[in-house]
Amino acid sequence: MPSDVDVLIVGAGPTGMTLALELVAQGISFRIVDKAVQRSPFSRALVVQPRTLELFNRHGAENAEELASLGKTAFAMSMCVSGKKLADIFVNDVLLPGTKFTSVMTITQDETENWLEEMLTKHGVKVEMGVEVKKIIQDSDGVNVTLSPKDGAEEEVRAKYVVGADGAHSAVRHASSLTFDGDAYPQEFICADTFMESSMPHGQAFMCLGNGAMIVLPLKDGRVRLVVSRPGQDTTREPKLEDFEEFMQEIFPGGGSLHDASWVTKFRLHHRGVNNYRDGRLFVAGDAAHIHSPAGGQGMNTGIGDAINLGWKIAAVLRGEKPDSFLDTYNTERRRIGQHLLKSTDRAFTYVTSTNPIFLFFRNLLLPWIIPLATRNKATLLERFGFISQLRIRYRHSDIVATANGFNGPIKGGDRAVDGKIMAPEGEKWLLDLLTPTSHHLMLFSGSGLKQASEGELNRAETRFLEETKTAVKVHTIFSGGQKGQAGYVDLDAGLHKAFGFTDAGYVLIRPDGYIAHIGHLAALDEAAKWL
């Protein structure tokens, strides 16, 4: 007889292990398998975005800070054209507001995977490596899966749902009716992790354009990651460090030399996306659902976002809190994000890596004029970094989020819950430190204007709300700085009240994935209970 499990996760990269972390926190039974016998020590994914760290922060601030400590933030990004440096973008000038994770981090994929696996080990979860999926057959009640361990007999598993986080060649996607539309980029790229000697400062990132493109990203141990696209480069043989050095003399300010590479490789890139993130009881996430260029460091982070969006929804359905149709919102919310990233990264990538000689001529002719002007406007740069950081991802179009009638604040249903400092009995902390992946959170704000709600009014509102809902909700009261002696948390400078738009008393109902289910004035709180 087949063994039973609620969820089978196929693929144990960052996306699969993030989903496993979400499910174990929710108390859902699952298995996670990967056909690779062991993890690769090399990784193409290198960037962890601030929003990803915020989402991991739900599993404990100390854990997210541990992951962040593994990374490095370049103190500046230099923009160069044809070997000349045109502008520097200093990190301190574009630190992101409203979050404790203010900068993009360079953390290698293998470090992220090791951190995730350690987190799972703390929960008693073992990733099953060397287990390949041979057959997937779904019916109306579940999915039959044939697993083939490298060192054992085939096993039949019966799962209620199967999630494919198994990459571009996903076995789960191939077993479904989903299409994977797109194509390969024509260029071939070479990549190296190596030590670099040059006249340029260490610990700095570079974007170098000319007759081709080269990106230089600093790694924590003193090495750099080099990614090169060069028209006419020899793709019939394996790359050598000399290939990078030769290109550096042409495109990198002052040239340079390389030594002691730990990884040198070549690769091609694709841009593809599925027509739906769900086929019955089969789901896809991460590279199994969307693959795109590495522009902006979006790929791994988007897969992690997929997993977090799906995890709490599967748990709610399996507990009987929501109908199976609730899982359709995974596709509604995440496919739109995936498609937007495919289009935006494709535009940026094509601009940087084009091999058209006419385009290259005019691009390289105009950029020395454009770049200094474009990088001078700090507000514009901050807006662009806000997009890259994924802090601006939102689900306002979703039919499971809403904004109360009459509320016109800057934050709407479906937006990310903004962060800021609050004063707790134990000292200063961040608002999002209160969030956990196991329940919804209701934040009751007293208001910062002339008419503020008292502690008693907020407590009575909380009581009425909890009487009307059967879904697990944790409630927190946030008072403005002028209200002394109150229980709950204090927004000392009223910065959070302003960010949410709560001059009058208001509420924010936050989903387990850190996005707002419902927001409005306190008088409309009865509306929010209907959204659980």
Side-chain angles (χ1 to χ4, degrees), residues 77-337:
M77 163 72 86
S78 291
M79 308 295 292
C80 314
V81 175
S82 301
K84 296 181 179 179
K85 186 166 72 168
L86 301 179
D88 290 318
I89 302 172
F90 290 98
V91 168
N92 287 340
D93 292 334
V94 289
L95 293 177
L96 295 164
T99 177
K100 67 177 176 180
F101 303 106
T102 57
S103 301
V104 174
M105 305 287 295
T106 54
I107 306 174
T108 61
Q109 182 174 325
D110 58 303
E111 289 175 314
T112 303
E113 288 177 342
N114 289 337
W115 178 84
L116 280 164
E117 194 156 16
E118 288 175 5
M119 290 285 289
L120 290 174
T121 299
K122 292 177 183 178
H123 289 283
V125 175
K126 180 176 176 56
V127 176
E128 301 176 50
M129 302 296 290
V131 178
E132 186 174 0
V133 172
K134 289 294 188 180
K135 186 184 297 183
I136 300 174
I137 300 175
Q138 66 166 316
D139 53 50
S140 60
D141 298 319
V143 189
N144 292 320
V145 184
T146 303
L147 300 179
S148 178
K150 297 290 184 185
D151 55 355
E154 287 190 352
E155 176 189 1
E156 297 298 321
V157 174
R158 176 74 172 174
K160 294 175 182 174
Y161 298 104
V162 173
V163 181
D166 47 344
H169 304 289
S170 170
V172 176
R173 192 186 64 246
H174 286 308
S176 73
S177 61
L178 305 177
T179 62
F180 198 40
D181 302 319
D183 207 346
Y185 287 103
Q187 306 93 331
E188 188 164 78
F189 299 83
I190 58 175
C191 171
D193 287 353
T194 181
F195 289 95
M196 180 174 76
E197 305 297 333
S198 76
S199 59
M200 294 292 102
H202 287 280
Q204 189 172 352
F206 293 86
M207 167 65 77
C208 302
L209 303 176
N211 185 31
M214 180 172 72
I215 298 173
V216 182
L217 295 173
L219 302 178
K220 190 175 181 181
D221 60 2
R223 294 174 299 156
V224 295
R225 163 77 53 91
L226 302 178
V227 181
V228 166
S229 169
R230 186 180 188 186
Q233 68 187 19
D234 185 0
T235 61
T236 62
R237 61 173 176 79
E238 292 300 314
K240 300 178 181 179
L241 275 187
E242 289 80 359
D243 299 320
F244 295 88
E245 288 181 322
E246 178 185 318
F247 193 41
M248 284 181 67
Q249 310 315 312
E250 175 186 334
I251 202 171
F252 190 77
S257 61
L258 307 172
H259 61 91
D260 297 319
S262 59
W263 187 36
V264 180
T265 189
K266 62 180 180 178
F267 58 92
R268 299 197 85 92
L269 294 168
H270 292 249
H271 49 107
R272 299 180 186 275
V274 290
N275 61 323
N276 199 305
Y277 282 32
R278 180 186 192 185
D279 175 24
R281 293 182 171 271
L282 306 181
F283 297 84
V284 287
D287 286 355
H290 48 81
I291 51 175
H292 39 83
S293 86
Q298 302 296 298
M300 181 181 72
N301 296 274
T302 305
I304 289 170
D306 293 342
I308 290 170
N309 185 282
L310 180 59
W312 74 275
K313 294 176 179 178
I314 282 184
V317 171
L318 288 171
R319 283 195 295 264
E321 298 168 0
K322 298 289 184 181
D324 178 80
S325 59
F326 183 69
L327 293 174
D328 292 339
T329 65
Y330 169 59
N331 174 71
T332 303
E333 294 183 345
R334 292 305 296 178
R335 185 171 182 271
R336 184 166 176 165
I337 301 301

Side-chain angles (χ1 to χ4, degrees), residues 346-407:
D346 184 61
R347 285 195 301 267
F349 192 69
T350 300
Y351 181 82
V352 169
T353 64
S354 174
T355 58
N356 184 304
I358 298 175
F359 175 83
L360 288 176
F361 173 78
F362 283 104
R363 185 195 70 182
N364 297 337
L365 180 68
L366 295 174
L367 281 180
W369 299 89
I370 295 172
I371 287 177
L373 292 174
T375 56
R376 204 170 292 158
N377 190 321
K378 303 303 181 187
T380 300
L381 286 174
L382 196 58
E383 183 178 353
R384 291 174 181 170
F385 273 88
F387 170 76
I388 290 171
S389 70
Q390 300 201 350
L391 294 175
R392 295 178 63 185
I393 285 177
R394 61 193 189 191
Y395 307 128
R396 288 186 183 181
H397 64 285
S398 174
D399 58 5
I400 61 168
V401 303
T403 302
N405 293 328
F407 182 73

Side-chain angles (χ1 to χ4, degrees), residues 4-10 19 23 28-32 157-163 283 310-311 314-315 318:
D4 290 338
V5 68
D6 284 336
V7 181
L8 176 67
I9 305 170
V10 183
L19 178 58
L23 295 181
I28 301 300
S29 72
F30 68 91
R31 289 174 63 179
I32 176 169
V157 174
R158 176 74 172 174
K160 294 175 182 174
Y161 298 104
V162 173
V163 181
F283 297 84
L310 180 59
I314 282 184
L318 288 171

